[in-house]
Amino acid sequence: MSPILAFRNVSVAYGGKVVLEKLSLGIEEGAFVSIVGPSGAGKSTFLRLVLGQEAPTRGAISLDGAPLRSEPGRDRGVVFQRYSVFPHLSALDNVMFGRECAGSMLRGRLAGTRRRAARAEAAAILQQVGLGDSLHVYPAKLSGGMQQRLAIAQALIMRPRILLLDEPFGALDPGVRLDMHALITGLWRAHGLTILMVTHDIKEAFVLGTRVLALDRRGTDPARPGSTVTFDLALDRKGDREPPPELAASLA
């Protein structure tokens, strides 16, 4: 079975600084891939490549065997650590916004039957993420965890195949994080998503992921080493989900 996403000898450099070096890997459809590594290891750059915000300096990335478009698309959604919601829109209007822009690019607003259908879909997704009672509430009145649920709903309304999570739970209290873990796991299964999640929490990586990728600066040029994959671990959901000591030590 061909991977949904493939990196072939991908490198990224900014001037003389090599960030990622010679990455070659495939991501299977339906995987939940946790990406860990020390600060500056290129984790967010990796996500930006998949999103289409950046292009490789060398090498190629493919989606379903075709070259990945060098621009964000509806097939890839993203949720950041900072809540990317519109403060002047209600929860319902925040989620509808993407549908309205995609459905009416000139006006930026749907009308009639299409608007009613988008509204119903947005309300259903808000119900899924636990915000069914907050449709008309504005972000300023929502807690941090609720705003992150709203950001996830914004991404899901576009029906992405790949969902990118960049430290999505890092700013949340421990108890709220556990609730969000249960939520994202349920949504991953319900929507058949392929998820790539960057996290600094190694325990979170192993609890949520079906696979863990570790990036670190171990490139071939000692003068300017780029990051490459140092651990690539497939996880058995029924097995031991403790990180190997050598991986934990590399992130300490």
Side-chain angles (χ1 to χ4, degrees):
M1 183 177 178
S2 299
I4 185 175
L5 190 67
F7 282 64
R8 294 181 178 86
N9 204 32
V10 169
S11 296
V12 175
Y14 306 123
K17 180 180 180 182
V18 181
V19 179
L20 296 174
E21 184 174 347
K22 298 180 180 178
L23 295 186
S24 291
L25 57 95
I27 305 293
E28 300 298 326
E29 188 160 17
F32 193 131
V33 182
S34 299
I35 302 163
V36 298
S39 296
K43 301 183 297 297
S44 293
T45 299
F46 183 89
L47 287 193
R48 288 197 297 271
L49 288 172
V50 178
L51 186 59
Q53 286 185 324
E54 294 193 27
T57 306
R58 294 187 183 87
I61 306 171
S62 60
L63 179 64
D64 286 332
L68 184 73
R69 290 176 299 162
S70 58
E71 60 183 19
R74 292 174 60 181
D75 48 8
R76 288 153 287 154
V78 62
V79 178
F80 299 103
Q81 180 177 355
R82 291 179 176 270
Y83 321 123
S84 53
V85 298
F86 300 108
H88 63 292
L89 298 178
S90 68
L92 184 63
D93 288 337
N94 258 284
V95 178
M96 284 183 62
F97 183 80
R99 269 276 182 260
E100 296 208 280
C101 288
S104 182
M105 299 185 71
L106 291 177
R107 296 179 57 207
R109 188 174 180 84
L110 297 172
T113 303
R114 295 173 69 198
R115 180 171 176 78
R116 289 191 293 272
R119 189 178 183 86
E121 184 179 6
I125 290 175
L126 284 166
Q127 183 70 41
Q128 274 190 303
V129 302
L131 294 177
D133 294 331
S134 303
L135 301 186
H136 305 294
V137 177
Y138 286 80
K141 299 295 184 181
L142 299 174
S143 68
M146 294 171 78
Q147 288 191 51
Q148 199 63 304
R149 288 170 185 263
L150 178 55
I152 292 170
Q154 283 180 314
L156 292 179
I157 191 74
M158 303 308 293
R159 302 176 188 170
R161 295 178 63 199
I162 299 173
L163 183 62
L164 308 174
L165 306 176
D166 194 356
E167 291 279 355
F169 314 129
L172 303 178
D173 293 334
V176 178
R177 289 183 75 158
L178 291 177
D179 290 341
M180 296 300 293
H181 288 175
L183 172 68
I184 202 66
T185 300
L187 294 171
W188 165 56
R189 292 176 176 144
H191 291 264
L193 297 166
T194 301
I195 293 182
L196 305 180
M197 179 187 72
V198 164
T199 178
H200 279 96
D201 187 332
I202 190 170
K203 182 177 180 181
E204 180 175 78
F206 276 77
V207 166
L208 294 180
T210 60
R211 180 179 177 187
V212 173
L213 294 177
L215 299 177
D216 206 349
R217 302 183 72 80
R218 304 282 179 85
T220 56
D221 185 351
R224 51 172 198 169
S227 289
T228 189
V229 175
T230 55
F231 291 86
D232 186 349
L233 305 172
L235 304 180
D236 178 359
R237 286 209 157 269
K238 297 181 181 179
D240 183 9
R241 302 183 70 77
E242 289 295 321
E246 58 272 27
L247 173 56
S250 72
L251 299 176

